[in-house]
Amino acid sequence: MLSGLQAADLALLLAAGVALDWLLGEARRWHPLVGFGRIAGAIEARLNGGSLRLAAGALAWMLAVLPFALLAWWLAGIAGMLVHVLLLYFCLGLRSLRDHTMPIFASLRSGDLPEARRLTGRIVSRDTAQASASDLAKAGTESLLENGNDAVFGTLFWFLVAGGPGALLFRLANTLDAMWGYRNERFDLFGRIAARIDDVLNFVPARLTALSYVLLAPRGGHVRAWRCWRAQAPAWNSPNAGPVMASGAGALGIALGGAASYAGVLEQRPPLGLGRAAAPVDILRAWRLVLASALLWVCVSCALALALYWSEHA
């Protein structure tokens, strides 16, 4: 293990970090990722300009990520397990996903469309000012399924690979992709390195996430989830979001993707899933799928660690 920890220790620390995230939720003040975002914004403002934007983007990524990753490795070597657990807690977003999406579901269920639009606009980049209840249900469900990988499973995967520093490296890289990974005049070259690094780090976790959605599909949707993944994911513009969202939509038996408005421009995105249009209840169903998948990962990692322990001490 790159963390230097035994498999049994990593599994126990992973379970502890998930439990801590569930009990405490997202830090309300002084959240490290919020502070990192401000630092990254300052670096981008200083370096994003001139003719060498691709090289500037690579330098900016290193300046933003590597000092914190190296500091995390150093602290983990000094304080050990406590640092690993705390790093996982600050990087994990399972409870945060629930806290940001369940109020959308509640507002839609009660018929409070303006509040649902406001809440959805906080978690997605598409236009929500004129969105219908179905549009908001689709946006919330898509966000949950995609962030099930970005905020949860990718973090857990890299924690198992490299402990707390691995989880931190992944989340910082993912944050930079969310900030800089746009194909527009400002970020097309500058953010290209950040986007590619995120693609590489997410490649394996995204497919494990998609597989989790297939295995845990409700009401016998396993085959449908698998077929949607294999048929629809290649058409999606993101190599990692495609498998995750297609399998998730197939698992839930609903139609996602399609038309969505961004900055006043209507975009026709490839279809995801198969079935009826998204309804408010699908936000709740997507959350349950993400939660069940996270618990599956915790249980599997603990079971494998226990099996390794018994094989070594038999």
Side-chain angles (χ1 to χ4, degrees):
M1 295 294 179
L2 295 178
S3 63
L5 297 171
Q6 297 297 317
D9 292 332
L10 269 175
L12 289 174
L13 293 175
L14 180 134
V18 172
L20 198 62
D21 172 72
W22 187 255
L23 290 172
L24 301 181
E26 189 176 62
R28 300 296 181 183
R29 300 181 63 186
W30 310 108
H31 195 293
L33 290 180
V34 175
F36 172 77
R38 292 177 180 143
I39 293 172
I43 292 174
E44 186 266 331
R46 179 65 67 90
L47 295 181
N48 188 8
S51 58
L52 301 177
R53 290 193 174 186
L54 186 65
L59 175 61
W61 192 95
M62 290 186 288
L63 290 175
V65 173
L66 294 185
F68 291 104
L70 293 174
L71 178 62
W73 280 108
W74 180 70
L75 290 174
I78 294 176
M81 293 188 179
L82 177 61
V83 171
H84 287 285
V85 170
L86 289 177
L87 285 171
L88 178 57
Y89 161 65
F90 284 122
C91 293
L92 197 60
L94 181 62
R95 167 76 181 271
S96 177
L97 278 182
R98 188 201 71 171
D99 292 347
H100 283 88
T101 55
M102 286 306 97
I104 299 172
F105 165 65
S107 297
L108 288 173
R109 184 175 57 178
S110 66
D112 190 349
L113 197 57
E115 178 65 4
R117 288 168 173 164
R118 184 186 71 83
L119 292 171
T120 307
R122 294 171 58 184
I123 66 169
V124 300
S125 57
R126 72 191 69 180
D127 303 329
T128 61
Q130 304 298 322
S132 66
S134 180
D135 293 333
L136 297 174
K138 180 170 68 172
T141 303
E142 289 179 358
S143 180
L144 259 170
L145 293 173
E146 183 176 8
N147 282 292
N149 176 67
D150 292 347
V152 182
F153 309 120
T155 303
L156 296 179
F157 174 84
W158 283 104
F159 182 84
L160 290 174
V161 171
L168 179 67
L169 176 65
F170 170 79
R171 282 295 275 155
L172 297 185
N174 187 250
T175 299
L176 289 187
D177 176 57
M179 294 179 66
W180 300 347
Y182 295 98
R183 295 181 178 179
N184 54 30
E185 183 178 355
R186 178 177 176 181
F187 289 113
D188 186 41
L189 288 176
F190 182 85
R192 191 169 297 181
I193 296 297
R196 295 299 174 266
I197 292 175
D198 182 70
D199 286 344
V200 171
L201 293 178
N202 254 317
F203 186 85
V204 173
R207 281 142 190 85
L208 291 175
T209 303
L211 180 60
S212 300
Y213 292 165
V214 171
L215 295 174
L216 296 172
R219 297 181 182 179
H222 316 291
V223 174
R224 182 178 58 233
W226 173 260
R227 288 176 175 172
C228 289
W229 171 7
R230 305 309 298 170
Q232 297 172 342
W236 202 253
N237 60 2
S238 167
N240 297 318
V244 170
M245 297 172 68
S247 64
L252 297 175
I254 58 176
L256 300 177
S261 177
Y262 295 87
V265 178
L266 188 65
E267 295 186 10
Q268 289 293 338
R269 304 168 304 158
L272 296 168
L274 184 66
R276 58 172 174 79
V281 71
D282 294 315
I283 297 176
L284 177 61
R285 296 175 67 226
W287 158 246
R288 289 173 175 170
L289 181 61
V290 170
L291 177 61
S293 300
L295 294 177
L296 173 67
W297 278 51
V298 173
C299 291
V300 168
S301 63
C302 288
L304 289 176
L306 185 62
L308 287 172
Y309 177 82
W310 283 111
S311 67
E312 293 172 358
H313 294 82

